Amino acid sequence: MSADGMTNGYAIGVNLAGSDDTLRLWKIKSGQVTTVINCGINWQTDIGTTGVAKILVERSPEGKWTFSVSTLAGDVIGTGSGFDNELFSNNWFCIYYRYSSTCDRLLWIDDVDINGTFYEDVEAPVITSCDPAGKRSVILCLNEEPEDGIMIPENITLNNRETNPSSVIRQGNLSYLIEFSQNFKNRSKNSLNINILCDLSGNCSQNAEVEFTTIWAETGDIVISEIMADPLPEVSLPGKEYIEITNRTGYTFSLMNWRLYGSDQYTLIPGTLIDPGGIVILCSISDTSLFKKYGRVTGLKQFPSLTDGGKLIYISDSTGTLIHGVEYSSEWYGDDLKSNGGWSLEMIDTRFPFYGKDNWKASASRKGGTPGSVNSVSDSNPDIFFQGISNVFPEDSVTVSLSFTEPVFNLADDISSITIQGTGISNVNASDPLFRNFLVKLTDPLDRTQLYDLAASGDLHDFSGNPIQKTGFKFGLSEPALTGDILFNEILFNPLPGDQDYLELYNCSGKVIDASRLKVVSVNDASGERSGAVSISEIGRCILPGDYYAVTTDKKKISERYFSADADHLFEAASLPSMSDDKGHLIMYNRELEQIDELAYNDDMHYSLLSSHEGVALEKINPESESGVASNWHSASESSGWGTPGAANSVCVEMPPASDNVVLSSSKISPDNDGNEDFLTIRMNLEGNGNVVSVLVFDEAGNYIKKIASNLFAGNGASVIWDGTGQDGSTVKTGIYILLITLYNDSGKTARWKKVCTVIRN
């Protein structure tokens, strides 16, 4: 009945919708037709094409509609009544009759009478409602149709006239969808202003204003508070997977069209309401009956599979905004018995939802979990520290991957909060759903010969508001590792009970080496079998020239055990190759399976006077010396805590500068493993590459004490150590000792040197 099909009003007639010939009173709103009154009169049979009927329709001020149908003589044919209190702008009346050619001139309408009390329109339009339709849009309704050119973006402003809408879309004669380019103020009043509001009669008002309040869930308002990833064997709960979510706020939210993600796949959450402080159990729709007795349950058609070992799961709202997520692991249980199934993981303190591993532990409930109720491990567990940058790695010459230890939600909105010396930044985009990893696009390509510093502003903070601590990181473009570029430097193969092994590497090249391109295998010397190759890192990491790189399967435990550890150079891997407690054989390869370094270790390489080697690391005396020479290794000192993962070795000796062929690290030693002059390093600086040396120790009376090296192929230089023990491993007495170094080479040349060292025993 109108060009846009959006007619609003009331009509009485037959077959306006449907084709049953029943006389009805219809309501038409935005083109949609609904019945207000059905009187039951069939026009075809009760009136016919030759009959005449009088129709009377009335409406009370309260919205009660009645109509009656009678003959011209006044005999009532039928009546009806209904209620609808909505009014529309009544500007016209019309007769609409659609017919086929055979029905032409069979309908006649006469004696149309419209009466009532008519008022002249002298009032300007008013806003009747303004309802939020999202985070940045509202539906605004007027009491009468406005003049053309009124409902346009330039005539409408938001919040003290700061912002115009991006679009105004008419939805009906009296309603409009108004959308802005930025979000409204959440959980507080917003004001919308129409500068000039006029109707079709020319009545106008200035600055028509309406207030509205929007409420939506923000990141961290609803949290995943419990995860049952491995329900079997059952304890007391149903042997089915579930996730529990908790509303941390004082507001009620609808979960309509929210999404639960399990890695890259998602399922829609039905339109469940979650009350303030409320808890909802999410499970497969087929399992809802099993969990109803524990609390409110919402079944999902495709519940994501929760892998036992760990997985990234997260929830977003209908606009795709992250609400909460967690990348859990079986290691989070903190209990080997409970990690084997039947027990849930519970969040300790929901006030700190992005605290990560330190805010989760195995349920303490005898049932195995607490779905639908407060967690059994609930306790105060504040997040008071944000470490900051955990890794920077160039994916290519113009793209850098940047990682943080916790989510950073404000980084992409303020790229000026990070800088890279020597190049600019064009944009920053999150590369994981939890905003821990980002891709940084550079304005200028990186130079392979240069190292770069990335610096973060101290204004960056974690979800709990803790300011960033580690704000700087050095990186560079990596190059392939070749034989001898990176060497084994420290190894813990016999840890204390409950501790883990660790390996440490040292980059003695001038290159930046990618840790993810290095693999280590263990070799069974008896059978010759090799284990599977284990990657040192699952992600790209820069090992800079002269840097140490230690790796273990439990960084926290190793850091706590060894106080000399450098946490910035200690990393966690999913696994390490098998290392037996008495002896072993390790080989390091690059990704192309070219051998980089090799180490055969055994318990005899430890300092012989130690009462126990358990928990004591083996360290190289010189990180650039050959890994395959046993004499290049020594037990870590007691003063260092028996290990220095990620840091310079406690037994590393700085040799005095000299031009002599043979140089001693000191003129005296006190071999008590206190970290101070515990052993003597003998360094040989030789000419040519075909040199073979032997080193013997005698006391001042000329008695033979020990053979330190026998026919050692030294090349153009080598280092060996003496730890102050005799040939049988016993300690030598305090006194003066003579070292005899003999050499012969491939040219037939021989040489001999004598050096003196004093041993002091306390």
Side-chain angles (χ1 to χ4, degrees):
M1 295 182 67
S2 60
D4 60 5
M6 304 298 281
T7 300
N8 291 334
Y10 293 88
I12 186 161
V14 173
N15 299 342
L16 187 59
S19 57
D20 60 5
D21 294 334
T22 302
L23 182 65
R24 305 185 187 194
L25 175 67
W26 311 85
K27 175 182 176 179
I28 310 167
K29 183 176 181 180
S30 300
Q32 300 296 315
V33 178
T34 56
T35 299
V36 178
I37 303 173
N38 183 350
C39 68
I41 296 175
N42 185 294
W43 193 273
Q44 180 72 24
T45 59
D46 297 336
I47 307 298
T49 58
T50 59
V52 178
K54 179 180 179 181
I55 304 172
L56 176 66
V57 181
E58 294 180 302
R59 180 193 184 278
S60 73
E62 294 76 28
K64 181 179 180 181
W65 292 83
T66 60
F67 76 75
S68 63
V69 182
S70 59
T71 64
L72 293 181
D75 298 326
V76 176
I77 301 174
T79 61
S81 64
F83 184 85
D84 192 293
N85 63 359
E86 188 167 10
L87 277 176
F88 301 104
S89 177
N90 302 314
N91 295 321
W92 42 262
F93 171 83
C94 71
I95 298 170
Y96 177 76
Y97 175 40
R98 187 175 63 187
Y99 53 89
S100 63
S101 59
T102 56
C103 295
D104 188 19
R105 303 183 67 180
L106 295 183
L107 177 67
W108 296 82
I109 296 176
D110 199 0
D111 297 334
V112 176
D113 180 29
I114 302 174
N115 60 59
T117 302
F118 295 91
Y119 297 93
E120 181 183 0
D121 183 5
V122 294
E123 296 182 353
V126 296
I127 300 170
T128 58
S129 65
C130 184
D131 299 317
K135 297 178 181 179
R136 55 182 63 179
S137 60
V138 294
I139 295 178
L140 183 133
C141 294
L142 305 175
N143 70 332
E144 59 178 315
E145 189 170 351
E147 186 180 69
D148 290 344
I150 294 297
M151 299 304 292
I152 58 175
E154 294 77 11
N155 194 39
I156 301 172
T157 55
L158 177 70
N159 294 334
N160 299 320
R161 307 179 187 179
E162 295 176 353
T163 308
N164 295 106
S166 56
S167 66
V168 178
I169 302 173
R170 180 171 178 170
Q171 294 194 311
N173 287 347
L174 304 177
S175 64
Y176 298 83
L177 175 65
I178 303 175
E179 186 159 0
F180 292 83
S181 58
Q182 63 188 45
N183 290 348
F184 300 132
K185 294 182 291 186
N186 192 19
R187 301 172 193 173
S188 60
K189 287 184 179 180
N190 295 267
S191 61
L192 186 140
N193 182 277
I194 302 178
N195 300 328
I196 301 176
L197 182 56
C198 301
D199 63 13
L200 297 176
S201 301
N203 301 303
C204 299
S205 65
Q206 302 284 330
N207 298 322
E209 188 171 83
V210 62
E211 291 185 337
F212 62 95
T213 301
T214 54
I215 297 175
W216 66 79
E218 297 179 340
T219 301
D221 284 348
I222 308 292
V223 301
I224 299 170
S225 51
E226 187 171 346
I227 303 167
M228 177 63 86
D230 188 8
L232 298 175
E234 301 175 16
V235 179
S236 292
L237 296 174
K240 300 294 183 180
E241 296 177 347
Y242 68 83
I243 292 172
E244 175 194 272
I245 59 175
T246 299
N247 185 350
R248 300 172 55 243
T249 75
Y251 301 92
T252 298
F253 300 112
S254 170
L255 307 184
M256 177 66 73
N257 292 327
W258 283 28
R259 296 179 177 186
L260 172 62
Y261 286 82
S263 296
D264 295 330
Q265 296 182 336
Y266 72 87
T267 183
L268 287 175
I269 302 176
T272 302
L273 291 178
I274 184 166
D275 299 324
I279 298 174
V280 174
I281 304 166
L282 302 179
C283 63
S284 172
I285 196 169
S286 60
D287 298 332
T288 52
S289 60
L290 300 175
F291 289 101
K292 281 184 177 179
K293 67 178 180 179
Y294 300 105
R296 290 193 59 193
V297 184
T298 295
L300 308 181
K301 290 183 179 180
Q302 294 179 329
F303 189 76
S305 175
L306 303 177
T307 54
D308 301 349
K311 190 173 188 175
L312 171 64
I313 53 175
Y314 62 98
I315 294 174
S316 68
D317 67 10
S318 57
T319 67
T321 300
L322 172 70
I323 300 300
H324 184 242
V326 59
E327 190 167 12
Y328 69 91
S329 165
S330 59
E331 296 178 1
W332 290 16
Y333 284 89
D335 188 320
D336 292 338
L337 295 176
K338 292 182 177 180
S339 64
N340 290 325
W343 300 83
S344 72
L345 275 172
E346 295 183 351
M347 185 183 286
I348 300 170
D349 194 337
T350 57
R351 295 176 301 163
F352 306 97
F354 292 97
Y355 193 6
K357 175 182 179 180
D358 293 331
N359 202 27
W360 289 80
K361 68 165 79 169
S363 174
S365 169
R366 295 181 62 188
K367 296 178 181 179
T370 55
S373 59
V374 175
N375 290 345
S376 61
V377 301
S378 180
D379 199 359
S380 176
N381 186 41
D383 177 7
I384 59 174
F385 180 76
F386 175 32
Q387 180 180 345
I389 301 175
S390 61
N391 190 40
V392 178
F393 184 81
E395 302 294 336
D396 54 48
S397 62
V398 293
T399 308
V400 174
S401 175
L402 168 62
S403 300
F404 295 90
T405 54
E406 293 183 53
V408 178
F409 296 106
N410 58 337
L411 178 61
D413 296 330
D414 184 13
I415 64 174
S416 63
S417 58
I418 58 171
T419 57
I420 297 178
Q421 184 182 15
T423 183
I425 297 173
S426 59
N427 63 70
V428 178
N429 293 306
S431 57
D432 87 312
L434 300 189
F435 294 86
R436 300 163 302 179
N437 305 318
F438 298 84
L439 289 178
V440 180
K441 287 291 184 180
L442 309 179
T443 57
D444 303 297
L446 300 174
D447 183 347
R448 192 172 298 279
T449 64
Q450 182 178 343
L451 295 181
Y452 294 86
D453 288 298
L454 184 145
S457 165
D459 294 334
L460 290 179
H461 54 80
D462 64 7
F463 181 81
S464 302
N466 299 308
I468 187 171
Q469 298 300 311
K470 183 174 176 54
T471 59
F473 208 98
K474 193 178 289 290
F475 69 97
L477 285 170
S478 64
E479 299 181 61
L482 301 177
T483 301
D485 282 346
I486 191 160
L487 305 174
F488 292 110
N489 189 57
E490 185 173 345
I491 178 172
L492 177 68
F493 55 86
N494 185 12
L496 290 167
D499 284 1
Q500 308 299 321
D501 298 334
Y502 70 76
L503 283 173
E504 182 187 82
L505 310 178
Y506 176 76
N507 184 355
C508 56
S509 75
K511 308 173 184 176
V512 176
I513 294 174
D514 178 3
S516 70
R517 299 186 67 87
L518 299 175
K519 302 176 182 292
V520 178
V521 303
S522 61
V523 181
N524 185 325
D525 289 332
S527 64
E529 293 182 355
R530 300 186 180 189
S531 68
V534 176
S535 293
I536 290 298
S537 175
E538 296 177 359
I539 63 172
R541 291 188 184 276
C542 294
I543 308 178
L544 302 181
D547 263 3
Y548 302 92
Y549 186 98
V551 60
T552 182
T553 56
D554 193 334
K555 176 179 178 177
K556 181 179 180 182
K557 188 168 289 186
I558 293 297
S559 296
E560 292 173 348
R561 175 70 66 189
Y562 297 94
F563 60 80
S564 295
D566 184 345
D568 287 343
H569 293 88
L570 176 60
F571 302 94
E572 197 164 288
S575 63
L576 288 179
S578 174
M579 291 185 283
S580 63
D581 292 348
D582 54 352
K583 62 179 180 178
H585 186 177
L586 300 175
I587 302 177
M588 179 167 39
Y589 295 96
N590 60 19
R591 190 171 291 179
E592 292 73 29
L593 296 182
E594 298 169 330
Q595 183 170 318
I596 305 301
D597 195 22
E598 185 172 9
L599 167 63
Y601 67 86
N602 61 71
D603 199 51
D604 293 337
M605 294 164 67
H606 276 294
Y607 183 43
S608 61
L609 299 184
L610 291 178
S611 59
S612 173
H613 303 153
E614 198 172 53
V616 180
L618 272 179
E619 297 181 333
K620 265 189 183 174
I621 298 165
N622 181 351
E624 297 187 4
S625 61
E626 292 185 36
S627 302
V629 178
S631 60
N632 288 336
W633 295 83
H634 193 273
S635 302
S637 69
E638 181 178 4
S639 62
S640 72
W642 306 111
T644 58
N649 294 348
S650 63
V651 300
C652 188
V653 177
E654 288 190 16
M655 299 295 293
S659 58
D660 294 346
N661 294 113
V662 178
V663 182
L664 302 185
S665 59
S666 176
S667 61
K668 65 182 185 304
I669 59 172
S670 56
D672 52 9
N673 213 51
D674 65 351
N676 180 37
E677 295 186 332
D678 290 323
F679 51 84
L680 181 70
T681 301
I682 305 118
R683 176 169 295 178
M684 290 158 281
N685 306 307
L686 308 173
E687 296 179 0
N689 293 311
N691 298 294
V692 176
V693 298
S694 296
V695 181
L696 302 178
V697 181
F698 300 88
D699 64 17
E700 58 184 329
N703 298 311
Y704 170 76
I705 299 298
K706 187 175 186 178
K707 182 183 292 183
I708 300 176
S710 177
N711 296 326
L712 171 68
F713 180 68
N716 61 3
S719 296
V720 296
I721 66 166
W722 180 44
D723 58 7
T725 62
Q727 193 67 41
D728 60 358
S730 62
T731 59
V732 300
K733 298 177 181 179
T734 297
I736 298 174
Y737 292 85
I738 300 167
L739 293 98
L740 179 63
I741 302 99
T742 59
L743 170 146
Y744 69 89
N745 61 22
D746 52 0
S747 301
K749 179 182 178 181
T750 62
R752 177 177 292 187
W753 299 273
K754 286 184 180 180
K755 296 290 181 177
V756 176
C757 176
T758 301
V759 175
I760 302 172
R761 294 284 183 188
N762 295 327

